[in-house]
Amino acid sequence: MTSIGGAEMVDWNLAVATATRFVRPGPDVSRDEARAVVAELRRHAKASEEHVREFTRMIPEGTLPRDTPVLVVDRAGWIKANVAGFRELLRPLLDKMQERRSGSPGGAVLGAVGGKVTGVELGMLLSFLASRVLGQYETFAPATREMPAGDPADGHGNGGGRLLLVAPNIVHVERELEVEPHDFRLWVSLHEETHRTQFTGVPWLRDHLEGEIQAFLGETEMDPMTVLERFREAAQSLVGARPEGEQDEGAHSIVEIVQTPAQREILARLTAVMSLLEGHADFVMDGVGPAVVPTVAEIREKFQQRRARGASRLDLALRKLLGLDAKLRQYRDGERFVRAVVGEVGMEGFNRVWTSPNTLPTKAEIAKPADWVARVHRKGEGAP
């Protein structure tokens, strides 16, 4: 990234160091047990490929999609991977903010201090998330020597994605829920493999999603004081520092408050896409599960209860601030959409959703699947 006087907008190395220092320790396992867990997760990831592709029929028989690596990581590995991903995705926005700040008096000094502050803040955020994520398909992952990524589809050197399975978190949750470990590990792998199949089987999806995100970031107000004030408002809404009589419904997440009218339109489209992707993964996981995961019903029930209740009051506050409560709604709303569409037009009919950006559901259609069926299938059949 461009730097002024050696100062970047975000001190990425400090972000990694902070997150690694403050992340919670993983569950107590022996070295032999850890090796066995890693080996089993790799086997499940491989087996999940065939299960997911057979169920979804997204990839035509005989077709080889772009290959992307599967990496089993610890919490520190997840942190490093996500810092690299953030750095890549936010590069255009931060470069613009850097240019704007470099022309102001004392910009270099402000950059040196601000970059470290932001690095610490990002690190604390990642330390919170690193103990909760079970798996992740890194769509925008840049390849590094430690963490390879798939071959880029566009030929411009961008990472082609990779699948991460966070072993200590999977072990922690399976113990917390008291479920059968082998079944739970396969169940998680099925969900994450669905995301991998979505992006490797739909060549345009990555670029479309990146374009929407960059458009959203491009609309961000560049005045740092304005952004800081928005963060302060969000924090106050969570800790109760609001005018007397004002209801909690007025609280906003960071994503919700840092947006212009144009961003609201983009965010609606992004919300619809993410609801589709998450709901599809849950639908596939439940569809494949009964045939290969004997205790899937028990796992699903206990996991849904865990999702809904959160771990603590702090968890609930952070969920709201970070917009993670919206992600929980995406799982639920998206799964209902996929189930309704497949019930109406079958899997082949549902798979028209992957034809182009124009066939993706809108946010309104996620809530009313029949409207998507009417729009896409009536148009496809030549009706007026």
Side-chain angles (χ1 to χ4, degrees):
M1 287 185 57
T2 305
S3 61
I4 306 298
E8 294 186 353
M9 292 290 295
V10 180
D11 189 328
W12 300 105
N13 292 332
L14 184 57
V16 171
T18 301
T20 304
R21 177 182 178 186
F22 287 99
V23 70
R24 295 176 181 176
D28 186 20
V29 297
S30 67
R31 182 172 298 181
D32 287 343
E33 185 180 3
R35 287 174 178 164
V37 171
V38 170
E40 183 174 18
L41 286 173
R42 286 174 177 157
R43 290 195 303 271
H44 284 331
K46 184 64 178 176
S48 295
E49 287 185 47
E50 184 177 344
H51 295 317
V52 169
R53 291 175 189 180
E54 181 180 352
F55 183 82
T56 64
R57 302 197 290 277
M58 288 178 62
I59 300 173
E61 214 172 312
T63 302
L64 291 176
R66 286 189 301 113
D67 189 31
T68 53
V70 177
L71 306 178
V72 181
V73 299
D74 59 11
R75 291 170 178 175
W78 182 88
I79 288 168
K80 291 176 183 176
N82 275 265
V83 167
F86 276 131
R87 186 172 189 170
E88 186 69 25
L89 192 61
L90 296 177
R91 185 185 300 270
L93 171 64
L94 296 183
D95 280 348
K96 287 180 182 178
M97 293 184 73
Q98 186 80 292
E99 283 181 26
R100 182 183 180 93
R101 194 180 59 193
S102 66
S104 63
V109 175
L110 178 62
V113 176
K116 292 191 179 300
V117 171
T118 309
V120 170
E121 290 174 342
L122 176 59
M124 294 303 294
L125 165 62
L126 290 174
S127 72
F128 167 76
L129 295 175
S131 61
R132 288 157 174 78
V133 176
L134 301 182
Q136 173 184 358
Y137 184 78
E138 280 201 294
T139 315
F140 310 107
T144 66
R145 184 168 53 185
E146 293 180 348
M147 291 199 168
D151 292 332
D154 57 10
H156 298 309
N158 297 318
R162 61 183 165 228
L163 178 61
L164 304 181
L165 295 172
V166 190
N169 295 351
I170 293 173
V171 172
H172 171 79
V173 173
E174 69 191 28
R175 290 179 178 179
E176 177 188 326
L177 299 182
E178 298 182 335
V179 294
E180 210 291 317
H182 305 294
D183 285 2
F184 184 73
R185 294 165 195 174
L186 177 55
W187 188 73
V188 171
S189 297
L190 288 169
H191 181 100
E192 302 308 333
E193 175 58 35
T194 302
H195 288 316
R196 186 167 174 248
T197 299
Q198 289 163 348
F199 284 94
T200 57
V202 184
W204 54 265
L205 185 57
R206 178 193 183 279
D207 288 344
H208 171 72
L209 195 58
E210 182 178 24
E212 292 280 56
I213 292 172
Q214 292 301 339
F216 181 89
L217 295 175
E219 289 289 332
T220 299
E221 299 174 47
M222 293 300 164
D223 177 8
M225 293 306 297
T226 300
V227 176
L228 181 62
E229 182 60 30
R230 297 287 179 86
F231 273 83
R232 186 177 297 115
E233 289 172 6
Q236 289 173 345
S237 73
L238 291 172
V239 300
R242 58 176 67 86
E244 186 175 355
E246 185 177 332
Q247 298 302 310
D248 189 58
E249 285 78 2
H252 297 289
S253 74
I254 289 174
V255 172
E256 291 172 324
I257 61 175
V258 185
Q259 60 177 300
T260 64
Q263 281 180 310
R264 281 192 286 273
E265 296 181 12
I266 300 169
L267 187 61
R269 295 195 298 268
L270 279 171
T271 299
V273 174
M274 297 311 297
S275 296
L276 170 68
L277 298 180
E278 296 294 356
H280 183 236
D282 268 11
F283 177 79
V284 172
M285 187 167 56
D286 286 348
V288 175
V292 298
V293 182
T295 59
V296 64
E298 177 192 357
I299 291 173
R300 181 67 157 154
E301 181 181 0
K302 289 183 174 180
F303 195 77
Q304 287 286 66
Q305 291 172 354
R306 183 181 186 273
R307 268 183 183 170
R309 68 175 179 263
S312 65
R313 184 176 179 182
L314 175 62
D315 246 16
L316 295 174
L318 286 169
R319 276 185 185 183
K320 183 66 180 178
L321 180 59
L322 302 174
L324 298 182
D325 53 343
K327 186 174 178 65
L328 296 179
R329 290 195 297 273
Q330 288 170 9
Y331 284 107
R332 183 182 64 247
D333 298 344
E335 196 273 341
R336 277 203 297 256
F337 170 83
V338 176
R339 187 172 298 281
V341 172
V342 172
E344 180 71 21
V345 296
M347 187 64 76
E348 296 298 335
F350 166 77
N351 280 340
R352 287 195 189 182
V353 79
W354 312 116
T355 304
S356 75
N358 293 329
T359 56
L360 291 172
T362 64
K363 188 176 180 181
E365 288 170 341
I366 287 288
K368 295 184 177 180
D371 290 354
W372 180 88
V373 172
R375 175 174 68 87
V376 173
H377 282 265
R378 183 172 56 189
K379 179 179 179 181
E381 292 161 7

